[in-house]
């Protein structure tokens, strides 16, 4: 009759009329996915929109860790589910109080009485349950304004929930509910964080990485696969597109003004990413750019580089400081991989003094001189792109798809 559950709460998207069912299906799918390792746990959905996880003996802390990876989940509460009867509520209230990590000095009971047929009115029920708890805990006092513990009791028609704690979830939108985007993923600190923010906003991302093999090593490639794997923990799986960029880079180096090579390389990257986006029916590009962070990210450079994109470019980190980005990278577990020392394709070709204020006209003129080979080289890079499906744990499941 009495079971341990986790009550789930969702963001404002769950209130949005026509899309509600779609959002709900998407989040249900994600919750079921993360809870798969806990084979006995079961997601329950009530007709009035309440959702909870029945633990059936599985560990709460394990479930809480997994739920922390479900975007759209606003908060959750470990709760006791019981029948809406007085004796059962008293028993659950006591149990909830004994389970608290630290014994409080003050508490209050807050009742939500959804079942209007329940024989006791809200205030009366609060008083009765409060009194029952007080009888069993010496020295405990009621404080209705600022209690250490707020014991919440929800009385519904078929069942009741008793809980006191609310743990914040990641928030945002259910994965995929806002469409698909291509994430330009380097091996650095920023772009994985940008990808995480994009996913949190409901975008299903596919990663695009440019490598300059053999100038960049297998280990550099593995680093990006590992970063994708960490992000895949939030999505179930992520497509990773590995683009051969050596040819374009070496030819750009031969043909353009040295201080413009980064700008031209980035424009080529955007063009390739757009072509891949078309193939994969993605409607946006996500990057880890942060205004002013390095020479290639001055406003002037962002302008000249961003001009080639026709899709919306989403830059979740654009106004963030490195010191704000790093704690997030640590929280989402990408940081230890990002700081591994393997070379990036761009650092190999960085000039002594890259332009911070390129002229769009000059850059476009340079590209006109490359008209004979650049568009074709871009098509070849797209054609030579290797795609793999990266999953969270099992390396053996990485299939070469195309
Ligand atoms: P990051 O920490 O993400 O590498 P960064 O501070 O090093 O960023 P840049 O190297 O200027 O910045 O790159 C800016 C953005 O361009 C990156 O955040 C990423 O989105 C994209 N980018 C850079 N290099 C690559 C690459 N080799 N493959 C894919 N995308 C890249
Ligand atoms: Mg970088």
């Amino acid at each position: 009759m009495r079971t341990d559950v986790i009550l789930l709460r969702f963001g404002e998207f769950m209130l949005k009329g026509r899309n509600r069912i779609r959002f709900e299906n998407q989040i249900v799918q994600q919750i079921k996915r993360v809870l798969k390792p806990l084979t006995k746990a079961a997601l329950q959905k009530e007709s009035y929109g309440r959702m909870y996880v029945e633990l059936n003996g599985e560990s709460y802390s394990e479930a809480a860790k997994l739920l922390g990876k479900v975007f759209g989940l606003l908060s959750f509460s470990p709760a006791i589910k019981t029948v809406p009867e007085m004796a059962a509520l008293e028993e659950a209230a006591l149990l909830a109080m004994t389970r608290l990590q630290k014994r409080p000095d003050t508490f209050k009971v807050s009742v939500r009485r959804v079942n209007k047929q329940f024989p006791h009115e809200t205030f009366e029920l609060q008083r009765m349950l409060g009194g029952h708890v007080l009888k069993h805990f010496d020295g405990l006092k009621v404080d209705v304004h600022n209690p250490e513990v707020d014991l919440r009791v929800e009385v519904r028609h078929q069942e009741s929930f008793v809980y006191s704690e609310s743990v914040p979830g990641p928030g945002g939108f259910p994965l995929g509910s806002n469409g698909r985007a291509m994430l330009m993923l380097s091996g650095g600190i920023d772009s994985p964080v940008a990808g995480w923010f994009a996913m949190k906003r409901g975008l299903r991302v596919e990663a695009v990485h440019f490598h300059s093999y053999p100038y960049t090593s297998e280990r550099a490639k593995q680093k990006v696969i590992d970063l994708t794997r960490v992000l895949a923990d939030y999505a179930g799986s992520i497509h990773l597109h590995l683009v051969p960029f050596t040819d374009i880079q070496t030819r750009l180096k031969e043909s353009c003004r040295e201080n413009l090579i980064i700008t031209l390389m980035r424009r080529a990257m955007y063009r390739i990413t757009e072509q891949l986006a078309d193939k994969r029916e993605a409607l946006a590009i996500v990057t880890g750019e942060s205004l002013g962070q390095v020479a290639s990210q001055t406003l002037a450079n962002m302008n000249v580089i961003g001009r080639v994109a026709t899709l919306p470019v989403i830059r979740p980190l654009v106004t963030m400081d490195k010191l704000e980005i790093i704690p997030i990278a640590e929280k989402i577990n990408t940081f230890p991989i990002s700081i591994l020392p393997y070379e990036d394709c761009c650092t190999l070709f960085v000039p002594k003094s890259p332009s911070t204020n390129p002229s769009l006209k000059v850059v476009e003129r340079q590209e006109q001189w490359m008209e004979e080979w650049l568009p074709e080289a871009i098509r070849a890079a797209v054609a030579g792109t290797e795609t793999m499906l990266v999953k969270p744990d099992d390396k053996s499941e990485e299939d070469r798809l195309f």
Side-chain angles (χ1 to χ4, degrees):
M1 219 160 43
R2 197 182 66 214
T3 46
D4 289 328
V5 302
I6 305 177
L7 291 179
L8 308 174
R9 289 178 210 90
F10 304 104
E12 81 264 49
F13 62 83
M14 277 301 229
L15 304 170
K16 288 186 177 155
R18 276 182 299 138
N19 287 328
R20 197 200 137 99
I21 302 288
R22 183 168 62 89
F23 283 140
E24 193 177 293
N25 289 341
Q26 276 156 331
I27 204 148
V28 163
Q29 205 185 340
Q30 292 302 317
I31 294 167
K32 287 190 171 160
R33 178 183 67 75
V34 298
L35 291 179
K36 222 176 244 163
L38 309 183
T39 48
K40 284 181 276 170
L43 180 67
Q44 301 293 346
K45 229 173 69 184
E46 301 292 342
S47 51
Y48 46 82
R50 177 53 104 200
M51 271 192 241
Y52 58 89
V53 177
E54 239 164 23
L55 284 169
N56 298 323
E58 297 286 1
S59 128
Y60 163 71
S61 58
E62 202 50 42
K65 213 167 74 193
L66 298 169
L67 289 171
K69 293 186 174 154
V70 176
F71 294 122
L73 192 58
L74 199 62
S75 69
F76 56 90
S77 296
I80 298 162
K81 182 185 146 213
T82 189
V83 287
E85 287 166 19
M86 200 56 211
L89 290 177
E90 285 178 344
E91 196 190 345
L94 281 189
L95 183 61
M97 290 300 286
T98 52
R99 280 184 180 175
L100 293 171
Q101 295 216 325
K102 182 183 156 286
R103 212 175 140 163
D105 291 325
T106 59
F107 88 118
K108 77 166 175 181
V109 178
S110 308
V111 166
R112 234 183 105 208
R113 186 168 162 268
V114 179
N115 176 3
K116 300 294 178 208
Q117 267 79 56
F118 192 77
H120 305 285
E121 302 254 339
T122 302
F123 287 114
E124 193 189 347
L125 188 52
Q126 282 175 181
R127 219 167 4 90
M128 289 167 77
L129 289 174
H132 186 73
V133 169
L134 284 173
K135 263 194 284 176
H136 290 79
F137 288 86
D138 278 348
L140 183 66
K141 288 196 182 63
V142 173
D143 179 346
V144 290
H145 299 298
N146 193 20
E148 272 173 61
V149 169
D150 186 0
L151 191 63
R152 294 173 177 269
V153 179
E154 223 176 87
V155 184
R156 298 192 166 270
H157 292 272
Q158 308 297 332
E159 73 272 288
S160 290
F161 299 102
V162 178
Y163 61 96
S164 62
E165 201 191 341
S166 184
V167 183
F173 284 81
L175 190 88
S177 62
N178 277 330
R180 191 196 306 264
M182 306 307 275
L183 165 67
M184 290 170 68
L185 184 66
S186 69
I189 294 168
D190 301 327
S191 43
V193 175
W196 182 82
F197 273 117
M199 290 197 287
K200 175 164 137 73
R201 207 61 201 163
L203 292 173
R204 182 171 277 286
V205 303
E206 298 201 2
V208 179
H209 177 70
F210 297 85
H211 66 86
S212 299
Y213 191 77
Y215 297 103
T216 54
S217 64
E218 273 298 315
R219 284 193 308 182
K221 175 173 156 188
Q222 190 57 44
K223 179 180 172 181
V224 174
I225 295 172
D226 290 342
L227 282 171
T228 309
R229 198 189 310 291
V230 175
L231 292 179
D233 228 6
Y234 295 85
S237 62
I238 291 184
H239 285 93
L240 168 62
H241 305 275
L242 294 159
V243 185
F245 204 53
T246 322
D247 181 46
I248 291 178
Q249 272 184 314
T250 40
R251 291 178 80 167
L252 280 176
K253 197 173 162 69
E254 284 158 15
S255 13
C256 78
R257 268 172 41 188
E258 199 204 4
N259 66 342
L260 289 179
I261 185 167
I262 297 280
T263 309
L264 286 157
M265 259 165 45
R266 286 270 189 272
R267 280 167 66 96
M269 284 183 178
Y270 266 88
R271 289 188 172 110
I272 292 167
T273 305
E274 276 220 341
Q275 291 192 17
L276 291 169
D278 272 356
K279 275 189 165 184
R280 304 292 303 164
E281 297 182 353
L283 295 182
I285 296 174
V286 179
T287 81
E289 287 163 303
S290 164
L291 185 60
Q293 197 188 73
V294 287
S296 58
Q297 294 174 33
T298 57
L299 189 59
N301 247 319
M302 265 193 205
N303 172 42
V304 172
I305 294 166
R307 290 281 173 140
V308 297
T310 57
L311 289 174
V313 178
I314 297 173
R315 302 175 174 94
L317 313 184
V318 73
T319 59
M320 288 172 78
D321 294 342
K322 204 81 182 176
L323 287 178
E324 294 172 287
I325 298 167
I326 287 173
I328 302 168
E330 284 172 333
K331 192 179 83 180
I332 65 171
N333 290 328
T334 52
F335 189 72
I337 305 171
S338 290
I339 56 174
L340 294 173
Y342 313 129
E343 66 295 328
D344 180 53
C345 76
C346 304
T347 42
L348 297 175
F349 291 84
V350 168
K352 278 185 268 338
S353 55
S355 170
T356 53
N357 187 21
S359 140
L360 182 60
K361 273 214 182 84
V362 172
V363 168
E364 282 176 347
R365 202 173 320 127
Q366 297 245 315
E367 280 175 355
Q368 269 161 23
W369 293 337
M370 301 172 198
E371 210 31 48
E372 266 179 32
W373 66 269
L374 187 56
E376 187 45 44
I378 284 172
R379 272 193 293 277
V382 172
T385 294
E386 178 196 349
T387 297
M388 58 206 295
L389 187 66
V390 181
K391 298 192 176 179
D393 298 308
D394 188 2
K395 290 186 189 197
S396 65
E397 291 194 59
E398 273 156 23
D399 318 314
R400 266 184 75 149
L401 290 185
F402 305 107

